[in-house]
Amino acid sequence: VDSHETRRPGMWIVSFDMTDLRGSATVCKFTEEKEAQKLTAAIGPGMYLKVQGLVELTRDGKDVQIRPQNIETAAHEGRKDTAPEKPVELHLHTQMSNMDALTDVGSVVKQAAAWGHKAIAITDHGVMYGAVDFYRAAKAEGINPIIGCEVYVANRSRFSKEHQLDWSYHLVLLCENNTGYKNLIKLVSAGFIDGFYKKPRVDKEVLREYHEGIIALSACLASPPAMSAKKLTASSSITAL
């Protein structure tokens, strides 16, 4: 919440941003200093509010803002998982996945526990940076931690690094047991030590060598099944009915 005095002596402006997770707007209220201080102290990040007022263009005409006539707190219940059989998330990225997620390990584990989930996995892109914190957080919440990684698999060899010829696809790997955990560490390390080309890459050779105790999933749209389906769709003739 921003609060400061305007050029007009004794007149203050209080402003803050609101969102309904579909759109956002800035709320601006001009008022006296005493009320401005009261509002600033009462409104904080993460609160749920009901705001009634006039919607108008900002001074530059590029956005909208709300000129409030009434502001009050609103009751809110967080999302609940009411499914009789709870799911287990097996493909999840955290803030350790560069440019792909902002999820904090501690908060996502707490959320899973609050929903009654018995287990949860993390599968960050090419790394295991969050594995230890994730394990400790899950154990503290009393749920089963499944350590994993969404690895990059070289289309040829992890040692091949030629421009426009070498790329990678995605594969989710989950540790089934302690042997799998040790093997996943070896795989991820090999991706950095031997296969790094734009991203840490493993290949089929090293996957065969360290496969014991590891469960593989099909991953996302950058996985072989998804890419094969995309090629099939692109090459097929589709008739509109």
Side-chain angles (χ1 to χ4, degrees):
V1 179
D2 178 64
S3 177
H4 62 270
E5 189 174 14
T6 66
R7 295 179 181 179
R8 178 181 170 185
M11 180 61 67
W12 284 61
I13 181 172
V14 179
S15 65
F16 56 91
D17 296 325
M18 288 187 67
T19 181
D20 61 358
L21 302 181
R22 293 177 294 179
S24 303
T26 299
V27 179
C28 294
K29 182 175 180 63
F30 292 90
T31 185
E32 297 179 350
E33 181 180 1
K34 187 175 181 180
E35 185 179 359
Q37 293 176 346
K38 184 178 179 181
L39 281 172
T40 303
I43 298 174
M47 292 182 64
Y48 287 84
L49 303 173
K50 289 182 180 179
V51 177
Q52 181 182 19
L54 301 175
V55 178
E56 60 186 13
L57 289 174
T58 54
R59 183 170 296 181
D60 60 10
K62 296 181 179 180
D63 209 341
V64 295
Q65 64 183 17
I66 301 175
R67 189 73 64 87
Q69 298 171 337
N70 183 47
I71 301 175
E72 59 184 60
T73 58
H76 174 75
E77 289 188 9
R79 291 177 58 188
K80 296 181 179 180
D81 185 346
T82 58
E85 294 186 17
K86 304 302 181 185
V88 175
E89 182 61 62
L90 297 178
H91 187 177
L92 175 69
H93 296 290
T94 75
Q95 58 194 7
M96 297 301 178
S97 288
N98 188 31
M99 301 295 289
D100 201 34
L102 297 173
T103 311
D104 174 72
V105 168
S107 63
V108 75
V109 169
K110 285 183 180 294
Q111 185 64 75
W115 282 343
H117 295 189
K118 302 302 181 183
I120 187 173
I122 60 167
T123 54
D124 285 314
H125 274 306
V127 301
M128 297 175 65
Y129 300 149
V132 174
D133 289 339
F134 166 69
Y135 181 87
R136 290 172 177 169
K139 287 298 184 181
E141 293 293 334
I143 64 177
N144 184 32
I146 303 173
I147 297 174
C149 180
E150 185 171 10
V151 297
Y152 299 99
V153 183
N155 64 314
R156 300 197 296 171
S157 165
R158 69 185 187 277
F159 299 104
S160 300
K161 304 172 184 179
E162 296 184 45
H163 181 58
Q164 295 185 336
L165 289 178
D166 289 291
W167 45 274
S168 58
Y169 57 86
H170 297 188
L171 185 68
V172 169
L173 303 178
L174 302 176
C175 301
E176 185 178 11
N177 47 40
N178 193 51
T179 299
Y181 174 67
K182 293 179 179 179
N183 280 334
L184 186 59
I185 291 175
K186 293 175 182 177
L187 286 167
V188 171
S189 297
F192 277 95
I193 296 171
D194 301 327
F196 197 94
Y197 177 64
K198 300 180 181 179
K199 300 179 185 297
R201 306 169 308 146
V202 298
D203 59 13
K204 292 179 181 178
E205 178 190 19
V206 75
L207 284 169
R208 291 191 192 98
E209 183 176 357
Y210 298 116
H211 72 277
E212 186 179 353
I214 289 178
I215 299 172
L217 305 181
S218 59
C220 60
L221 292 177
S223 67
M227 290 189 292
S228 297
K230 185 177 180 181
K231 289 180 180 178
L232 180 63
T233 302
S235 62
S236 301
S237 59
I238 301 175
T239 304
L241 300 177

